[in-house]
């Protein structure tokens, strides 16, 4: 078989059912092998969409997402999505074609040193010069993508290597069995429980590790046994049991008042599978300054990176939480019901601006109240991302995703397409803003081609709204390059791609339009022409603390 | 000082780039290639806590690079 056929055999051995990609010269041998092959290829309309779709597939399924692209510009168009996956710990394997071996280093047509370019955007990348190594390289890539803290791996293969004949083998050499991860020391578990037992105002913050570590069940058990008020980063929305009265909502810059104030008031913090991102901590030297920090993570480099910890629990989060639960069952801690009640009282309803026209917050309130419980929602980046995160109550962290760490606009729509391929039985929605959507709406063609049932909720405020908000608040209302009042006719665009679409401009029409959008099957766009100057509240300005929290204007 | 074996010597470039992101700079780079690995010794100037974090990150890079 050829090297290209060896690639597909290796993907089949890994159980890959779909890959997202875009062809080109150097990767033509792989596309030739794909012709009529069992591994399904989904043609997107830009390589960036391929990697975001693979990411949406991985985030919502827990399986490794796969994408491919050709050399040079094809490969460089993957870079943002790879870094996004690295930041959010998403397991991906990207396969790129490279110019033929003899051309490498000659500035050949569509040549790029993609391994050098993606060195800091992947856990590892590898240039495969020997076709006999392809099976092993792909097996290693999948294992590494999943191992420990998940992330992306890139394999770059010159076109002549893809054409080289190699012996047909039954599989790679014996590598890459699943590794057992690190396990938190029993003494550290005991120390953490001792701190909790002595605490008066403990708070738990759950992060994306609960999703990548498949620790949701253990986390819900822990929340029940520990009884602390708890909060989540954006990557962990859905981790809390539905209706859990001790859950305070999202923490961070646009988190709830209750969550941020409780964290700031805490005397002990359980930080579980989270990395103290600056959008959570604001000003690290004043973040929860009265609290002892218990930090659990599978990645030891996260400890003491931003916040000094009292106890570190280095290990697989599911195992760590199970050990904590065992200890809590053996010797229960006092209930923190009074503190949980007090923490909840630190908050209040989400504040919102008074608007003249359709409010984005009303659109999203109605959307989240109406969607089925098992829906998957992917968001893009910007104001709508924060409004959505404040309101979303997903059934599970795998039912909700966004480009969190990198904040890559253009993510939401293609990621939702990938999510739908991974979850064909679930309703899948993309919430996008008018800025990010214009980076990705060519993927309507992908929806149309495959009949992919993704519904796109477009929050169009004719502005790059989050930047506009910062210009209003922190740059003396100097609105530089954020006005998008000349936006195209999005409904006409959808129709041009053969996708059904409707527009709503008035609050009175929102209910019927939303019902139709949610309940009528098939790909669709609901274009919501919203008031342009609505802001996201509450807000803790960058580098500040919850004491400096800003609320809606009167 | 970090001392260890790297399978793919390209990761030395990654380590040097990373050092600059931590506001550190290499003061010694010694790489001795052998059959299956390169023995690397690398030392840095910079704030002590930054060097601690840098060395931890290097450990992660080298572990991922050697994963097989």
């Amino acid at each position: 078989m050829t090297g290209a056929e060896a690639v597909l055999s290796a993907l089949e051995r890994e159980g890959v059912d779909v890959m997202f990609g875009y062809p080109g010269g150097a990767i033509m041998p792989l596309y030739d092998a794909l012709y009529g092959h069992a591994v399904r290829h989904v043609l997107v309309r830009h390589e960036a969409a391929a990697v975001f779709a693979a990411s949406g597939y991985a985030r919502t399924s827990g399986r490794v997402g796969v994408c491919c692209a050709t050399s040079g510009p094809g490969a460089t168009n993957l870079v943002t999505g790879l870094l996004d996956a690295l930041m959010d710990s998403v397991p991906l394997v990207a396969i790129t074609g490279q110019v033929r071996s003899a051309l490498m280093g000659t500035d050949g047509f569509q040549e790029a040193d993609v391994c050098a370019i993606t060195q800091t955007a992947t856990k590892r990348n590898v240039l495969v010069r020997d076709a006999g190594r392809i099976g092993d390289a792909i097996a290693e890539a999948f294992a590494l993508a999943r191992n420990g803290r998940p992330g992306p791996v890139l394999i770059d293969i010159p076109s002549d290597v893809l054409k080289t004949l190699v012996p047909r083998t039954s599989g790679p050499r014996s590598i890459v069995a699943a590794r057992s991860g690190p396990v938190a020391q029993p003494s550290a578990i005991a120390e953490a429980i001792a701190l909790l037992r002595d605490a008066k105002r403990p708070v738990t913050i759950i992060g994306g590790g609960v999703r990548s570590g498949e620790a949701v069940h253990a986390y819900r058990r822990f929340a029940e046994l520990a009884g602390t008020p708890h909060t989540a980063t954006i990557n962990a929305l859905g981790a809390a049991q539905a209706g859990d009265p001790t859950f305070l909502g999202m923490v961070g810059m646009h988190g709830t008042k209750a969550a941020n104030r409780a964290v700031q008031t805490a005397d002990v913090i359980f930080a579980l599978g989270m990395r103290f991102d600056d959008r959570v901590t604001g000003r690290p030297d004043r973040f929860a300054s009265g609290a002892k920090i218990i930090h659990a993570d599978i990645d030891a480099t996260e400890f003491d990176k931003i916040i000094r910890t009292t106890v570190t629990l280095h290990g697989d989060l599911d195992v760590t939480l199970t050990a904590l639960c065992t200890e809590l069952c053996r010797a229960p801690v006092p209930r923190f019901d009074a503190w949980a009640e007090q923490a909840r009282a630190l908050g209040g309803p989400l504040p919102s601006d008074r608007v003249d026209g359709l409010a984005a917050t009303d659109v999203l309130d109605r959307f989240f109240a109406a969607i089925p419980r098992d829906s998957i929602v992917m968001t893009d980046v910007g104001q709508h991302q924060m409004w959505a995160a404040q309101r979303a109550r997903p059934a599970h962290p795998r039912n909700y995703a966004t480009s969190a760490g990198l904040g890559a606009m253009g993510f939401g729509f293609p990621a939702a397409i990938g999510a739908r391929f991974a979850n064909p039985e679930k309703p899948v929605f993309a919430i996008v803003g008018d800025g990010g959507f214009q980076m990705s709406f060519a993927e309507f063609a992908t929806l149309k081609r495959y009949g992919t049932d993704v519904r796109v909720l477009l929050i169009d405020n004719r502005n790059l709204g989050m930047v506009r908000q910062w210009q209003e608040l922190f740059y003396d209302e100097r609105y530089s390059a954020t006005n998008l009042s000349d936006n195209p006719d999005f409904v006409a665009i959808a129709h041009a791609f053969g996708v059904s679409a409707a527009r709503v401009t008035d609050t009175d029409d929102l209910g019927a339009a939303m019902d139709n959008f949610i309940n009528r099957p098939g790909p669709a766009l609901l274009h919501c022409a919203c008031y342009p100057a609505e802001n996201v509240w509450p807000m803790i300005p960058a580098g500040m603390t919850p004491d400096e929290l800003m609320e809606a204007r009167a | 000082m970090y001392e260890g074996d790297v399978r793919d010597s390209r990761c030395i470039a990654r380590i040097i780039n990373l050092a600059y992101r931590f506001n550190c700079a290499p003061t010694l780079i010694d790489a001795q290639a052998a059959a299956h690995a390169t023995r690397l010794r690398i030392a840095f100037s910079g704030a002590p806590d930054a060097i601690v974090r840098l060395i931890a990150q290097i450990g992660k890079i080298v572990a991922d690079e050697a994963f097989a």
Side-chain angles (χ1 to χ4, degrees):
Chain A
M1 63 179 168
T2 65
E5 289 165 339
V7 170
L8 296 181
S9 292
L11 295 180
E12 278 189 303
R13 278 195 299 272
E14 297 295 336
V16 173
D17 57 353
V18 63
M19 61 194 292
F20 304 89
Y22 202 95
I27 203 165
M28 279 180 69
L30 182 64
Y31 275 81
D32 186 60
L34 269 168
Y35 190 79
H37 196 275
V39 171
R40 186 178 189 189
H41 174 268
V42 172
L43 175 69
V44 292
R45 299 307 165 104
H46 191 288
E47 291 87 352
V51 64
F52 286 145
S55 183
Y57 177 99
R59 288 170 192 253
T60 58
S61 69
R63 302 193 291 274
V64 177
V66 182
C67 60
C68 62
T70 195
S71 63
T76 56
N77 281 340
L78 298 179
V79 173
T80 303
L82 292 172
L83 185 55
D84 170 75
L86 188 71
M87 295 276 276
D88 284 351
S89 309
V90 179
L92 292 188
V93 169
I95 299 167
T96 49
Q98 180 55 267
V99 300
R100 66 180 191 272
S101 302
L103 269 182
M104 288 177 63
T106 68
D107 298 330
F109 176 66
Q110 293 194 327
E111 181 182 1
D113 185 354
V114 66
C115 284
I117 290 168
T118 62
Q119 213 173 33
T120 58
T122 56
K123 288 180 83 171
R124 180 169 92 190
N125 60 45
V126 58
L127 169 67
V128 182
R129 287 181 178 272
D130 171 5
R133 271 277 303 151
I134 285 174
D136 287 346
I138 289 181
E140 287 177 9
F142 274 79
L144 180 59
R146 295 185 194 107
N147 185 64
R149 181 174 179 172
V153 180
L154 181 139
I155 301 171
D156 194 33
I157 313 176
S159 60
D160 57 306
V161 177
L162 288 169
K163 292 181 198 167
T164 301
L165 292 174
V166 293
R168 192 174 292 276
T169 58
S170 57
R173 62 186 165 80
S174 61
I175 46 165
V176 279
R179 309 289 170 85
S180 53
V183 175
Q185 293 297 308
S187 58
I189 295 284
E191 205 178 335
I193 295 294
L195 283 180
L196 179 62
R197 185 162 286 115
D198 291 341
K200 299 287 180 285
R201 298 178 307 281
V203 174
T204 301
I205 308 173
I206 186 72
V210 74
R211 176 170 65 194
S212 51
E214 304 292 357
V216 173
H217 178 76
Y219 176 66
R220 289 176 179 173
R221 180 83 177 120
F222 171 79
E224 187 184 323
L225 290 168
T228 73
H230 55 129
T231 174
T233 69
I234 195 167
N235 272 331
L237 295 174
Q241 189 76 51
D244 180 345
T246 60
F247 181 62
L248 303 174
M250 184 174 73
V251 71
M253 180 178 278
H254 293 293
T256 66
K257 282 187 282 186
N260 283 310
R261 287 173 175 165
V263 165
Q264 205 61 2
T265 312
D267 59 355
V268 168
I269 288 179
F270 267 93
L272 305 173
M274 56 85 72
R275 59 184 178 83
F276 295 104
D277 180 269
D278 58 274
R279 287 302 194 256
V280 168
T281 55
R283 184 173 161 175
D285 63 331
R286 288 172 57 192
F287 173 80
S289 50
K292 291 175 176 162
I293 310 285
I294 300 155
H295 191 182
D297 207 285
I298 197 162
D299 182 351
T301 66
E302 293 297 343
F303 298 134
D304 296 322
K305 186 177 84 174
I306 294 167
I307 299 293
R308 291 278 168 208
T309 48
T310 309
V311 178
T312 57
L313 302 172
H314 180 210
D316 175 279
L317 188 58
D318 189 52
V319 176
T320 299
L321 283 166
T322 302
L324 288 167
C325 289
T326 302
E327 197 61 24
L328 287 168
C329 285
R330 195 185 60 76
V333 293
R335 296 297 303 174
F336 298 105
D337 297 341
W339 158 235
E341 184 61 38
Q342 190 189 337
R344 201 161 47 248
L346 293 170
L350 278 175
S352 56
D353 284 331
R354 226 175 272 151
V355 306
D356 179 14
L358 183 62
T361 47
D362 285 346
V363 172
L364 291 166
D365 281 336
R366 193 171 285 260
F367 171 79
F368 283 112
I371 59 174
R373 178 81 180 133
D374 65 340
S375 296
I376 290 176
V377 176
M378 314 295 280
T379 81
D380 211 83
V381 172
Q383 285 182 310
H384 71 278
Q385 178 190 33
M386 294 297 112
W387 284 318
Q390 291 171 336
R391 289 159 174 79
R393 294 291 178 267
H396 190 281
R398 293 215 180 277
N399 290 45
Y400 192 88
T402 189
S403 173
L406 190 62
M409 289 172 68
F411 167 90
F413 183 26
I417 293 172
R420 177 68 184 184
F421 275 94
N423 302 272
E425 75 292 353
K426 292 182 180 170
V428 176
F429 298 92
I431 305 176
V432 298
D434 45 321
F437 190 51
Q438 289 181 79
M439 297 182 179
S440 60
F441 68 59
E443 298 312 319
F444 270 147
T446 310
L447 285 198
K448 184 65 182 171
R449 169 173 290 218
Y450 298 99
T452 314
D453 189 351
V454 168
R455 325 280 171 85
V456 181
L457 181 66
L458 170 58
I459 306 294
D460 173 16
N461 58 6
R462 297 174 300 288
N463 271 284
L464 296 173
M466 188 59 90
V467 185
R468 196 213 68 83
Q469 175 169 339
W470 283 47
Q471 287 171 339
E472 177 188 328
L473 299 176
F474 311 120
Y475 289 86
D476 298 327
E477 302 184 29
R478 291 157 62 84
Y479 298 115
S480 177
T482 47
N483 183 309
L484 299 182
S485 58
D486 52 357
N487 269 339
D489 180 339
F490 292 108
V491 169
I493 286 171
H495 286 158
F497 282 96
V499 173
S500 79
R503 177 178 293 117
V504 59
T505 58
D506 194 300
T507 309
D508 292 341
D509 302 328
L510 181 59
M514 190 65 77
D515 287 349
N516 196 37
F517 171 69
I518 290 171
N519 297 318
R520 201 175 74 177
L525 169 76
L526 180 60
H527 173 215
C528 301
C530 297
Y531 178 72
E534 187 176 9
N535 286 337
V536 185
W537 306 113
M539 178 180 191
I540 301 170
M544 297 194 181
T545 71
D547 301 329
E548 289 128 321
L549 180 143
M550 299 168 74
E551 301 208 57
R553 296 157 297 183
Chain B
M1 167 79 81
Y2 176 84
E3 195 164 355
D5 291 331
V6 296
R7 193 173 68 163
D8 180 350
S9 54
R10 292 176 315 138
C11 82
I12 298 169
R14 181 173 184 173
I15 289 167
I16 293 168
N17 282 326
L18 184 66
Y20 282 94
R21 286 204 67 76
F22 282 67
N23 203 19
C24 299
T27 55
L28 165 79
I29 304 168
D30 178 31
Q32 301 287 335
H36 297 293
T38 297
R39 185 73 186 163
L40 172 66
R41 292 171 65 234
I42 186 163
F44 304 95
S45 63
D49 64 331
I51 291 176
V52 168
R53 289 195 294 119
L54 174 61
I55 299 291
Q57 288 287 346
I58 292 171
K60 190 163 92 168
I61 289 170
V62 171
D64 283 348
E65 182 270 334
F67 183 89

